Amino acid sequence: MSEPIISLTPGAAKRVAWIAERQRKPAILRLAVDGGGCAGFTYKFELAEQAEGDDTVAETDGVRLVVDPTSLELVQGSAVDFVEDLGGAAFKVTNPNAQSGCGCGSSFSV
């Protein structure tokens, strides 16, 4: 069995569904990668109205995670989770392609 291209954990799916319900939007989380941040690239999350034609889509518990082809090159094989700790609550990407990260956990380099 091959590794998934990208995945959304059940905990992250539950949180996306909760946010989407309150904002009256579809339960679709878009993950994009932007240049910048303290390590070179940053993760950007937003609710999407729909998947675009060339997006890769992963689904967990009825919630979809969508990623554009350019961003997918940098996050392929990753898992998106939702974590809550003393520092706060946030979506977290476990990215096997990242060579290094930073203390804030939202930027990385390849």
Side-chain angles (χ1 to χ4, degrees), residues 38-39 41-43 45 90-94 101-108:
C38 42
F41 294 101
T42 59
Y43 300 114
F45 294 99
F91 289 103
K92 179 180 183 233
V93 179
T94 302
C102 68
C104 68
S106 63
S107 75
F108 68 103

Side-chain angles (χ1 to χ4, degrees), residues 3-7 31 43 71-80 92-101 108-110:
E3 286 290 311
I5 294 174
I6 192 154
S7 63
L31 167 61
Y43 300 114
S71 296
L72 186 63
E73 289 180 26
L74 298 167
V75 297
Q76 190 162 339
S78 295
V80 176
K92 179 180 183 233
V93 179
T94 302
N95 187 346
N97 306 304
Q99 298 294 318
S100 64
F108 68 103
S109 66
V110 290

Side-chain angles (χ1 to χ4, degrees), residues 16-37:
V16 171
W18 183 85
I19 293 168
E21 182 181 323
R22 276 148 188 75
Q23 293 187 10
R24 292 185 169 84
K25 291 188 173 187
I28 303 171
L29 179 66
R30 174 168 297 282
L31 167 61
V33 175
D34 284 340

Side-chain angles (χ1 to χ4, degrees), residues 65-86:
L65 171 67
V66 296
V67 184
D68 66 88
T70 303
S71 296
L72 186 63
E73 289 180 26
L74 298 167
V75 297
Q76 190 162 339
S78 295
V80 176
D81 196 6
F82 183 76
V83 294
E84 294 182 81
D85 58 25
L86 293 175

